[in-house]
Amino acid sequence: MGKIVKKQRPVNLDLRTINQPVSAIASILHRISGIITFIAVGILLWLLGMSLSSQEGFQHASEIMTGFFAKFILWGILTALGYHICGGIRHVLMDFGFLEESLATGKTSAKLAIVIAVILSILAGVLIW
Ligand code: HEM
């Protein structure tokens, strides 16, 4: 089989040089935000456990959360969660057939999910700082 295929075909599998459609960007962001959210569950449970352990534990957890780095991590977590929920709702709407399965609707809903997530991310920043 392989011998029939012309060897001189233009092949480009370098993802960095391919102009990605917005739906592809929305898709990879959904996977990345899902993984970040998964890791966040561990971090947040650790913080909750500390804050509930004792009065000192609560004080310690509060102090940790005053630092810029900790706030930045929390902002990242909320941003990832916000995007994951927007992308997730988009997926559910598509699965239930509420969104037309066309390229135009796919592009529009992907853009909308990203725009809403950016707004939520800014709001999360305002809430934290
Ligand atoms: C603790 C909270 C959550 C975690 C850790 C989490 C994590 C993940 C991960 C790792 C994936 C797989 C992504 C992939 O294979 O590309 C995923 C997919 C998905 N998540 Fe979440 N998720 C969470 C909450 C949510 C919420 C609240 C929604 C609802 C809006 C949601 C909707 C979805 C959907 C619809 C998919 C499948 C997307 C697809 O078919 O490509 N998730 N999630």
Side-chain angles (χ1 to χ4, degrees):
M1 274 295 278
K3 284 177 185 161
I4 309 165
V5 177
K6 278 191 244 161
K7 291 240 166 77
Q8 295 305 313
R9 292 174 307 158
V11 174
N12 183 6
L13 290 177
D14 186 353
L15 292 175
R16 291 165 302 177
T17 64
I18 297 172
N19 198 2
Q20 300 288 347
V22 67
S23 49
I25 293 166
S27 173
I28 191 65
L29 284 179
H30 195 247
R31 178 164 292 186
I32 293 168
S33 63
I35 294 166
I36 293 175
T37 305
F38 178 70
I39 296 167
V41 172
I43 297 173
L44 296 175
L45 280 179
W46 164 74
L47 202 64
L48 179 68
M50 188 194 298
S51 79
L52 294 177
S53 62
S54 64
Q55 200 170 344
E56 293 75 38
F58 178 83
Q59 225 78 47
H60 189 51
S62 304
E63 276 162 31
I64 288 175
M65 289 318 298
T66 57
F68 175 82
F69 185 65
K71 286 185 176 187
F72 183 74
I73 297 288
L74 184 63
W75 175 74
I77 288 174
L78 291 179
T79 297
L81 181 64
Y83 179 74
H84 196 79
I85 291 174
C86 290
I89 290 172
R90 172 174 175 258
H91 267 285
V92 172
L93 291 177
M94 290 193 295
D95 291 347
F96 276 95
F98 292 129
L99 289 178
E100 194 196 338
E101 284 185 6
S102 66
L103 183 61
T105 307
K107 282 189 167 185
T108 308
S109 61
K111 272 184 211 158
L112 192 66
I114 293 171
V115 168
I116 295 173
V118 168
I119 295 169
L120 289 177
S121 171
I122 293 169
L123 290 178
V126 172
L127 189 77
I128 294 169
W129 280 286

